Amino acid sequence: MKRTVLLLCCLCLLAGLQRKSARMPWRSGHTLRWSDFQALPDEHSGFSASANTGISHRYTISKAGVLDPSKSIIKANFYPKLSWYKPELIDEFTLKHEQTHFDISEVHARMFRKAVAEFRFTRNSKAEIQKIYKKIESSRRNMQQQFDAETEHSVNREAERRWEFNVEALLRKYRHWAD
């Protein structure tokens, strides 16, 4: 329980730091390299690596107070200055695991784009977009945690392959909502 609370506190803190950090948007065909991970390793962590990813959203609200979905910019991002690895503990599977975390964020960015495009915004756009974002972000975080739990942070190779296949299927499912 303490670990969960600590993890949630860290995620909230990192969410605030992400806004101030350089970001690398998700791109089809581009995979992460260890050189993308620029933070110093967390020596207190029992993990071998940490890819910090998330979703950013910029939008425009018209003079009438209504959000214009056509001017909405939604990106899945990797934050190099908040991502790290311990060279002595990593292998090829570790990097693939971290890439899948990034891909999960892209799936949710696509889901967010779809939700925004299909929603009929009103003069209450700020509250409406916030509600959509919170739902997508909650789903993203839950999926990230489930991925780590089921794969035992890349230890369970069979579960890792299932997740990679399922995330690739979701990327295909939402391909019309790719950036």
Side-chain angles (χ1 to χ4, degrees), residues 13-123:
L13 176 64
L14 289 175
L17 290 174
Q18 285 177 347
R19 292 185 198 102
K20 298 174 185 167
S21 298
R23 43 184 128 178
M24 186 173 82
W26 189 95
R27 294 186 322 263
S28 180
H30 176 79
T31 55
L32 293 173
R33 296 180 293 271
W34 286 122
S35 60
D36 296 325
F37 293 68
Q38 299 173 3
L40 292 174
D42 180 352
E43 297 303 330
H44 301 291
S45 172
F47 302 122
S48 57
S50 177
N52 191 294
T53 69
I55 299 173
S56 62
H57 182 218
R58 289 189 338 214
Y59 56 89
T60 300
I61 295 187
S62 70
K63 289 180 183 177
V66 180
L67 187 141
D68 182 352
S70 70
K71 294 182 180 172
S72 185
I73 301 170
I74 298 168
K75 301 276 186 192
N77 298 299
F78 172 82
Y79 299 92
K81 295 183 185 309
L82 299 174
S83 301
W84 53 265
Y85 68 98
K86 296 176 182 175
E88 69 279 6
L89 298 178
I90 59 169
D91 59 24
E92 63 192 85
F93 297 103
T94 312
L95 187 58
K96 184 74 171 150
H97 178 86
E98 300 307 323
Q99 178 66 50
T100 303
H101 276 295
F102 196 11
D103 293 344
I104 289 170
S105 288
E106 174 61 16
V107 166
H108 285 82
R110 292 179 185 191
M111 293 167 66
F112 193 14
R113 289 182 198 112
K114 180 180 188 294
V116 168
E118 294 174 348
F119 193 84
R120 297 185 58 80
F121 288 95
T122 68
R123 288 179 174 246

Side-chain angles (χ1 to χ4, degrees), residues 125-136:
S125 290
K126 286 184 181 181
E128 293 163 346
I129 194 64
Q130 200 58 8
K131 185 175 181 182
I132 294 168
Y133 172 77
K134 283 182 180 180
K135 181 179 177 186
I136 297 289

Side-chain angles (χ1 to χ4, degrees), residues 47 97 101 142-156 159-160 162-163:
F47 302 122
H97 178 86
H101 276 295
N142 288 337
M143 188 180 220
Q144 298 281 16
Q145 290 172 353
Q146 185 180 2
F147 170 54
D148 275 336
E150 290 180 14
T151 63
E152 302 169 54
H153 298 272
S154 83
V155 172
N156 184 331
E160 191 81 30
R162 276 194 311 270
W163 268 92

